[in-house]
Amino acid sequence: MSPSRGSGRPRLLLTIALVVVLAAAGGVGLRLLTGAAEARSQLVRIVASSVVAEIAVHGELDGDCVEAPELDDCLPVVTVTQRRGAPLRAAVLTGVVTPGTVLLYWGCREGAGVTECTPRSPGPDTAVCVTTSDARDASALAFCGRFGVAATGRPTRDRTEVVEFVPVTRDGRPAAGHVVVDQGTELLLDSCSSAFAATASDIVSCGPTAASAQACWIETNRATVLCGRPGDNRLYRFGVRQALPRYEPLPEARREPLAIELRDGTICTRRTGGPAPPLPEPFSSQYWCGEHGLAVQAHGEDLLDRSSPFWTLRTMLAAAADGGDPVPIRREVALVHYAGRP
């Protein structure tokens, strides 16, 4: 990949102490410090960008860069040695301009845009993107939001990964990087039950179907909920008709994904409302996969075939172009999202 293109950018400096500082556009930099390898560790590539603060990453400069068109830059890559299954400790935010600004990570088991990151399953292409929650880092947020390749440009995954969408903090408040959209009192939710995708308590699905309240986190007052979905940093706050009791998650065998991401980037989401689409026997569907149509399963079969490293599902258009029965097409799955708590 080509080096940074912006004119007048400060050059990369290397000191005897092995501290490397890269100044990006607007005087923003990365400080890289080599660290000792740990037992049972993995290598994680980190890309970081911010225009409001310095992000220090303790690791070694990889020698490559990742193209970031949103930033008109090619961002350097830092490789760090990380204990497997442990939270990422290599990145530090310094010189914060706005109080409350925190680091946000993508490429984590917890999902995207989280404040604490456990890098995904080990592999030579494990990669993490880091920026801040400050609104002025909107371009970096957009870049990290679509970050799905390693520093070398190869896919970051060698198998399907199961991740949790966690848009709230431990005390139930909106997590950093999420924007709350208050729905007022015109539409109150009711008929709540444990969310079909919940892995933790007090996550519910509610009606009416027009609200698309498939995963809602009960707030501490138990009179309002925050509803969201993977890939969207907006949380919709709804009131409920009556205070909600405590809800426990469904048994694991009965849980169903909140969203399914195919390897081509298509997001499959659970259908809400309306009559079931007509499908040839023996197929039925609960998920919509955009231009691929419906994710279908035959009676008595699971939606996801887990027999290979990359799980698969079958998609089918509602009607074939020639007027005959549509043909199911098997597609590989990159990520399966559930709804969780920290």
Side-chain angles (χ1 to χ4, degrees), residues 150-234:
T152 58
R154 299 189 301 270
T156 62
R157 308 176 189 93
D158 59 2
R159 62 184 59 247
T160 298
E161 296 174 14
V162 176
V163 298
E164 291 189 351
F165 175 53
V166 184
V168 298
T169 61
R170 293 184 187 278
D171 57 2
R173 292 180 296 176
H178 288 82
V179 177
V180 175
V181 180
D182 202 317
Q183 299 297 102
T185 59
E186 292 186 6
L187 178 60
L188 296 178
L189 301 185
D190 57 17
S191 303
C192 296
S193 59
S194 295
F196 59 85
T199 63
S201 60
D202 282 351
I203 306 173
V204 294
S205 298
C206 303
T209 56
S212 297
Q214 298 179 337
C216 301
W217 285 255
I218 301 175
E219 295 196 88
T220 54
N221 61 14
R222 313 204 71 84
T224 56
V225 295
L226 295 170
C227 304
R229 62 183 181 183
D232 190 343
N233 72 336
R234 292 169 296 181

Side-chain angles (χ1 to χ4, degrees), residues 55-252:
I55 300 175
V57 183
H58 302 269
E60 295 183 357
L61 193 63
D62 188 89
D64 208 339
C65 65
V66 172
E67 295 285 351
E70 296 91 339
L71 307 171
D72 189 28
D73 203 354
C74 192
L75 300 178
V77 179
V78 186
T79 299
V80 304
T81 302
Q82 178 72 19
R83 184 179 293 275
R84 294 178 183 175
L88 185 66
R89 306 291 187 193
V92 179
L93 185 62
T94 62
V96 176
V97 176
T98 305
T101 296
V102 295
L103 287 175
L104 297 180
Y105 300 86
W106 282 255
C108 315
R109 293 182 187 175
E110 294 84 356
V114 295
T115 56
E116 295 183 1
C117 176
T118 306
R120 288 175 180 157
S121 57
D125 297 316
T126 300
V128 171
C129 187
V130 187
T131 186
T132 82
S133 60
D134 194 291
R136 288 169 290 178
D137 276 336
S139 295
L141 285 164
F143 168 71
C144 280
R146 69 171 182 80
F147 186 76
V149 295
T152 58
R154 299 189 301 270
T156 62
R157 308 176 189 93
D158 59 2
R159 62 184 59 247
T160 298
E161 296 174 14
V162 176
V163 298
E164 291 189 351
F165 175 53
V166 184
V168 298
T169 61
R170 293 184 187 278
D171 57 2
R173 292 180 296 176
H178 288 82
V179 177
V180 175
V181 180
D182 202 317
Q183 299 297 102
T185 59
E186 292 186 6
L187 178 60
L188 296 178
L189 301 185
D190 57 17
S191 303
C192 296
S193 59
S194 295
F196 59 85
T199 63
S201 60
D202 282 351
I203 306 173
V204 294
S205 298
C206 303
T209 56
S212 297
Q214 298 179 337
C216 301
W217 285 255
I218 301 175
E219 295 196 88
T220 54
N221 61 14
R222 313 204 71 84
T224 56
V225 295
L226 295 170
C227 304
R229 62 183 181 183
D232 190 343
N233 72 336
R234 292 169 296 181
L235 292 175
Y236 295 90
R237 176 177 281 130
F238 289 94
V240 295
R241 294 193 180 278
Q242 57 185 5
L244 295 173
R246 183 177 177 86
Y247 288 86
E248 297 299 335
L250 297 174
E252 185 173 356

